[in-house]
Amino acid sequence: MTGTPRIRVLYDEQIIAKRIEELAQEIVRSKPENLLVVAVLKGSFMFAADLIRALHRVGLEPQVEFVHLSSYRDGTVSSGQVAILRDVESDVRGRDVLLVDDILESGRTVTFAKDLLMARGAKRVSTAVLLEKPGKRAVNIDADFVGFTCPDLFVVGYGMDVAHSYRQLPFVGVVDHANQSPDLFDKK
Ligand code: IMP
Ligand code: MG
């Protein structure tokens, strides 16, 4: 990487914070019982941290778990295979589960996780994603709770990365391609 890349802000801190409070209201209206939140690592960690505190503010008392999934990617393009790098520890049988992920793109990651938890006997698995990119789905799935419908750009920040960089940004943005090493970006 040469120089300091510029990041164009798509969703700033205030907009994200406001939308997360609204999502928590939507989630509480779905009347979850015995709720287990399962955050999909790594990209969702910041969203999940803010969302579970918003769930607390609307009166929910979820248990919180993590699953680390990897959708093998070639640069910024999904390969279609999903692997479990770290599994949940809880027994999900009979429970309402809220899966939390950063982005719904091809839909493979969320579908994989949802199928896994249903196969283990969860009563209901709903999904909350910060962003969804429409028109990119390889699998027919919609999230129950969506923060923002996002343009078809590779986004970073607020937990999301390119090669482990930019996760610390408190906003969601797009890296300005002009200063970037080309192998970090699409080989489409
Ligand atoms: P899907 O399985 O194609 O729906 O991809 C979802 C996963 O790919 C997300 O959980 C992200 O980790 C990653 N991903 C997809 N698009 C982006 C992006 O624009 N920036 C960063 N990560 C992304
Ligand atoms: Mg992810």
Side-chain angles (χ1 to χ4, degrees), residues 20-32 35 37 47 51 55 58 60 98-100 124 126-129 144-145:
I20 286 176
E21 297 306 318
E22 293 167 358
L23 286 178
Q25 297 286 351
E26 289 176 32
I27 291 165
V28 77
R29 281 199 295 273
S30 73
K31 301 199 187 316
L35 180 62
V37 169
F47 174 47
L51 184 63
L55 293 179
V58 297
L60 292 177
L98 178 67
L99 260 178
V100 177
R124 176 165 68 150
S126 3
T127 52
V129 296
D144 300 284
F145 308 100

Coordinates of all heavy atoms in Angstrom, one line a residue, residues 20-32 35 37 47 51 55 58 60 98-100 124 126-129 144-145:
I20 N -29.5 1.6 14.3 CA -29.4 0.4 15.3 C -30.5 0.5 16.3 O -31.1 -0.5 16.7 CB -28.0 0.3 15.8 CG1 -27.1 -0.2 14.7 CG2 -28.0 -0.6 17.1 CD1 -25.6 -0.3 15.1
E21 N -30.8 1.7 16.8 CA -31.9 1.8 17.8 C -33.2 1.4 17.1 O -34.1 0.8 17.7 CB -32.0 3.3 18.3 CG -30.8 3.8 19.1 CD -30.4 2.9 20.2 OE1 -31.2 2.4 21.0 OE2 -29.1 2.7 20.4
E22 N -33.4 1.8 15.8 CA -34.6 1.4 15.1 C -34.7 -0.1 15.0 O -35.8 -0.7 15.1 CB -34.7 2.1 13.8 CG -34.9 3.6 13.8 CD -34.7 4.3 12.5 OE1 -34.3 3.6 11.5 OE2 -34.8 5.5 12.5
L23 N -33.6 -0.7 14.6 CA -33.5 -2.2 14.4 C -33.9 -2.9 15.7 O -34.6 -3.9 15.7 CB -32.1 -2.6 14.0 CG -31.7 -2.4 12.6 CD1 -30.3 -2.9 12.3 CD2 -32.7 -3.1 11.6
A24 N -33.4 -2.4 16.9 CA -33.7 -3.0 18.2 C -35.2 -2.9 18.4 O -35.8 -3.8 18.9 CB -32.9 -2.3 19.3
Q25 N -35.8 -1.8 18.0 CA -37.3 -1.7 18.2 C -38.0 -2.7 17.3 O -39.0 -3.3 17.7 CB -37.8 -0.3 17.8 CG -37.2 0.9 18.6 CD -37.9 1.0 20.0 OE1 -38.9 0.3 20.2 NE2 -37.4 1.8 20.9
E26 N -37.5 -2.9 16.1 CA -38.1 -3.9 15.2 C -38.0 -5.3 15.8 O -38.9 -6.1 15.7 CB -37.5 -3.9 13.8 CG -37.8 -2.6 12.9 CD -37.0 -2.6 11.6 OE1 -36.7 -3.8 11.1 OE2 -36.6 -1.6 11.1
I27 N -36.8 -5.5 16.3 CA -36.5 -6.9 16.9 C -37.4 -7.1 18.1 O -38.0 -8.2 18.2 CB -35.0 -7.0 17.2 CG1 -34.2 -7.0 15.9 CG2 -34.8 -8.3 18.0 CD1 -32.7 -6.8 16.0
V28 N -37.6 -6.2 18.9 CA -38.4 -6.4 20.2 C -39.9 -6.6 19.8 O -40.6 -7.4 20.4 CB -38.2 -5.3 21.2 CG1 -39.0 -4.0 20.8 CG2 -38.6 -5.8 22.6
R29 N -40.3 -6.0 18.7 CA -41.7 -6.2 18.2 C -41.9 -7.6 17.6 O -43.0 -8.0 17.6 CB -42.0 -5.1 17.1 CG -42.4 -3.8 17.7 CD -43.1 -2.9 16.7 NE -42.3 -2.5 15.5 CZ -41.5 -1.5 15.5 NH1 -41.4 -0.6 16.5 NH2 -40.9 -1.2 14.4
S30 N -40.8 -8.3 17.3 CA -41.0 -9.6 16.8 C -41.1 -10.6 18.0 O -41.2 -11.8 17.7 CB -39.8 -10.0 15.9 OG -38.6 -10.3 16.7
K31 N -41.1 -10.1 19.2 CA -41.4 -10.9 20.4 C -40.5 -12.1 20.5 O -41.0 -13.3 20.7 CB -42.8 -11.3 20.5 CG -43.8 -10.1 20.5 CD -45.1 -10.5 21.1 CE -46.2 -9.4 21.0 NZ -45.8 -8.1 21.3
P32 N -39.2 -12.0 20.5 CA -38.3 -13.1 20.7 C -38.4 -13.7 22.1 O -38.5 -12.9 23.1 CB -36.9 -12.6 20.4 CG -37.0 -11.1 20.6 CD -38.4 -10.7 20.3
L35 N -34.1 -15.6 24.0 CA -33.3 -15.2 22.8 C -31.8 -15.4 22.9 O -31.2 -15.1 23.9 CB -33.5 -13.7 22.5 CG -32.8 -13.1 21.3 CD1 -33.2 -13.7 20.0 CD2 -33.0 -11.6 21.2
V37 N -28.5 -14.5 20.8 CA -27.9 -13.7 19.7 C -26.6 -14.5 19.3 O -25.8 -14.8 20.1 CB -27.5 -12.3 20.1 CG1 -26.6 -11.6 19.0 CG2 -28.8 -11.5 20.3
F47 N -20.9 -4.2 14.9 CA -22.4 -4.1 14.8 C -23.0 -4.9 15.9 O -24.0 -4.4 16.6 CB -22.8 -4.6 13.4 CG -24.2 -4.8 13.2 CD1 -25.1 -3.7 13.5 CD2 -24.8 -5.9 12.6 CE1 -26.5 -3.8 13.2 CE2 -26.1 -6.0 12.3 CZ -27.0 -5.0 12.7
L51 N -25.6 -3.5 18.6 CA -26.9 -4.0 18.5 C -27.4 -4.6 19.9 O -28.5 -4.4 20.3 CB -27.1 -5.0 17.4 CG -28.5 -5.5 17.2 CD1 -29.5 -4.4 16.8 CD2 -28.5 -6.6 16.1
L55 N -30.5 -3.7 22.2 CA -31.5 -4.7 22.6 C -31.7 -4.6 24.1 O -32.8 -4.7 24.6 CB -31.0 -6.1 22.2 CG -31.0 -6.4 20.7 CD1 -30.5 -7.8 20.5 CD2 -32.3 -6.2 20.0
V58 N -34.0 -1.7 24.8 CA -35.4 -1.9 24.6 C -36.0 -3.0 25.5 O -37.1 -3.4 25.3 CB -35.7 -2.2 23.1 CG1 -35.3 -1.0 22.2 CG2 -35.1 -3.4 22.6
L60 N -34.8 -6.2 26.1 CA -34.5 -7.7 25.9 C -33.3 -8.1 26.7 O -32.4 -7.3 27.1 CB -34.2 -7.9 24.4 CG -35.4 -7.7 23.5 CD1 -35.1 -8.0 22.0 CD2 -36.6 -8.7 23.9
L98 N -31.1 -15.1 17.0 CA -30.9 -14.0 16.1 C -29.5 -14.0 15.6 O -28.5 -13.8 16.4 CB -31.2 -12.6 16.8 CG -31.0 -11.4 16.0 CD1 -32.0 -11.3 14.9 CD2 -31.0 -10.1 16.8
L99 N -29.4 -14.3 14.3 CA -28.0 -14.3 13.7 C -27.7 -12.9 13.3 O -28.5 -12.2 12.7 CB -28.1 -15.1 12.4 CG -27.7 -16.6 12.3 CD1 -27.9 -17.1 10.9 CD2 -26.2 -16.7 12.7
V100 N -26.5 -12.5 13.6 CA -26.1 -11.1 13.3 C -24.9 -11.2 12.4 O -23.8 -11.8 12.7 CB -25.7 -10.3 14.6 CG1 -25.2 -8.9 14.3 CG2 -27.0 -10.3 15.5
R124 N -36.6 -20.9 16.1 CA -36.7 -19.9 15.0 C -35.3 -19.2 14.9 O -34.7 -18.9 15.9 CB -37.7 -18.8 15.5 CG -37.9 -17.7 14.5 CD -39.1 -16.9 14.8 NE -39.1 -16.2 16.1 CZ -39.7 -15.0 16.4 NH1 -40.4 -14.4 15.5 NH2 -39.6 -14.4 17.6
S126 N -33.9 -15.9 13.2 CA -34.0 -14.7 12.4 C -32.6 -14.1 12.1 O -31.7 -14.5 12.8 CB -34.9 -13.7 13.0 OG -35.4 -14.1 14.2
T127 N -32.6 -13.2 11.2 CA -31.3 -12.7 10.8 C -31.3 -11.1 10.8 O -32.3 -10.5 10.3 CB -30.9 -13.1 9.4 OG1 -32.0 -12.8 8.5 CG2 -30.7 -14.6 9.3
A128 N -30.2 -10.6 11.3 CA -30.0 -9.1 11.3 C -28.7 -8.8 10.6 O -27.7 -9.4 11.0 CB -30.1 -8.6 12.7
V129 N -28.7 -8.0 9.6 CA -27.5 -7.6 8.9 C -27.4 -6.1 8.9 O -28.4 -5.4 8.7 CB -27.4 -8.2 7.5 CG1 -27.3 -9.7 7.5 CG2 -28.5 -7.7 6.6
D144 N -34.2 -10.7 8.0 CA -35.4 -10.2 8.6 C -35.2 -8.7 9.0 O -36.2 -8.0 9.0 CB -35.7 -11.1 9.9 CG -35.9 -12.5 9.5 OD1 -37.0 -12.8 8.9 OD2 -35.0 -13.3 9.6
F145 N -34.0 -8.4 9.4 CA -33.8 -7.0 9.9 C -32.5 -6.5 9.2 O -31.4 -7.1 9.2 CB -33.5 -7.0 11.4 CG -34.6 -7.7 12.2 CD1 -34.4 -9.0 12.6 CD2 -35.8 -7.1 12.4 CE1 -35.5 -9.7 13.3 CE2 -36.9 -7.7 13.1 CZ -36.7 -9.0 13.5

